[in-house]
Amino acid sequence: EVQLLESGGGLVQPGGSLRLSCAASGFTFSNYAMSWVRQAPGKGLEWVSGISGSGGSTYYADSVKGRFTISRDNSKTTLYMQMNSLRAEDTAVYYCARSQGSSGYIELPVDYWGQGTLVTVSS
Amino acid sequence: DIVMTQSPDSLTVSLGERATINCKSSQSVLYSSNNKNYLGWYQQKPGQPPKLLIYWASTRESGVPERFAGSGSGTDFTLTIRSLQAEDVAVYYCQQYLYSPFTFGPGTKVDIE
């Protein structure tokens, strides 16, 4: 059974940093591209960042480029998101998401989602 | 970036009736090399993560009821729920996954009348 378990969310002050983790199990992690998708309270979905199965290619939304860094450790089957210079508008539930198919490419729909971890940026 | 729009913002449908949601992309998401539309539909119920319903614009994900159908090509797409059930109350999103950033539409809320 595919499982994605996010952790690392919490309350942080504007300008602060957080590191999100997503522990994956139930599939060959290195064969799948992964993404982070966020949802601000009461709002829609926003794709934030993605990484290929090998980790060799990374992708970012303009809203987080230069502040967030996605990475993965295939030996630990874990996805990460380092978030720096956090702003109030980064407040959201952050979902870890797996791209469909075992090619490792990112250009595929998301077929599994974690339950999300809440990040609140506030003073 | 590709901008995704959806219409309507919300709709209320009677049980057993048809619900139709439209999605439009600001540029084509049809990839000519494989003739596939890089367009997916997701359902999100309150307090839950999204669930993939449709991919490649018209392919139903495993386990998704046949009453859900996707259609369209290029820049214009439709999700049809043929006979609305109570459990279909949710917000529905389209997403293009051809070009990064892989943008979502703003969502369409479906309620029962």
Side-chain angles (χ1 to χ4, degrees):
Chain A
E1 180 192 4
V2 172
Q3 291 195 349
L4 301 171
L5 184 60
E6 303 96 336
S7 61
L11 175 64
V12 62
Q13 292 189 338
S17 297
L18 272 180
R19 188 197 199 199
L20 304 184
S21 299
C22 171
S25 61
F27 62 102
T28 304
F29 184 68
S30 60
N31 287 354
Y32 291 82
M34 301 291 295
S35 294
W36 291 98
V37 177
R38 69 184 180 185
Q39 187 167 36
K43 302 298 184 183
L45 301 171
E46 181 187 11
W47 181 88
V48 174
S49 182
I51 187 168
S52 62
S54 66
S57 297
T58 57
Y59 311 81
Y60 297 95
D62 290 344
S63 58
V64 305
K65 201 173 293 182
R67 299 188 299 123
F68 291 11
T69 302
I70 191 171
S71 62
R72 63 192 297 159
D73 185 333
N74 286 343
S75 67
K76 296 183 178 178
T77 67
T78 302
L79 176 73
Y80 302 101
M81 175 68 82
Q82 177 66 44
M83 305 187 296
N84 298 331
S85 304
L86 283 161
R87 307 166 179 167
E89 54 265 35
D90 296 318
T91 295
V93 172
Y94 284 73
Y95 293 104
C96 170
R98 189 189 85 164
S99 290
Q100 187 189 61
S102 56
S103 65
Y105 293 121
I106 193 81
E107 295 85 355
L108 290 163
V110 170
D111 62 352
Y112 282 94
W113 302 72
Q115 290 298 311
T117 185
L118 177 62
V119 172
T120 303
V121 185
S122 175
S123 55
Chain B
D1 298 359
I2 295 180
V3 176
M4 306 298 291
T5 57
Q6 289 182 232
S7 63
D9 296 335
S10 64
L11 73 161
T12 304
V13 179
S14 299
L15 280 172
E17 295 299 306
R18 178 189 300 253
T20 302
I21 301 168
N22 299 300
C23 172
K24 189 174 183 70
S25 56
S26 61
Q27 64 188 81
S28 177
V29 296
L30 173 63
Y31 189 46
S32 56
S33 295
N34 59 13
N35 202 38
K36 287 186 173 182
N37 287 283
Y38 283 56
L39 190 284
W41 288 96
Y42 300 85
Q43 175 194 64
Q44 188 179 32
K45 297 180 180 180
Q48 296 183 18
K51 172 188 174 183
L52 178 64
L53 296 177
I54 303 284
Y55 56 97
W56 303 131
S58 61
T59 302
R60 252 188 318 274
E61 175 70 326
S62 176
V64 172
E66 290 185 3
R67 63 180 181 273
F68 291 92
S71 62
S73 184
T75 61
D76 292 279
F77 302 91
T78 300
L79 174 69
T80 302
I81 311 172
R82 194 176 62 235
S83 175
L84 196 75
Q85 303 299 304
E87 60 265 31
D88 301 335
V89 169
V91 179
Y92 293 83
Y93 297 91
C94 60
Q95 184 206 19
Q96 67 81 17
Y97 47 89
L98 180 57
Y99 298 114
S100 176
F102 305 111
T103 41
F104 288 91
T108 295
K109 186 176 181 182
V110 174
D111 274 321
I112 299 289
E113 189 165 16

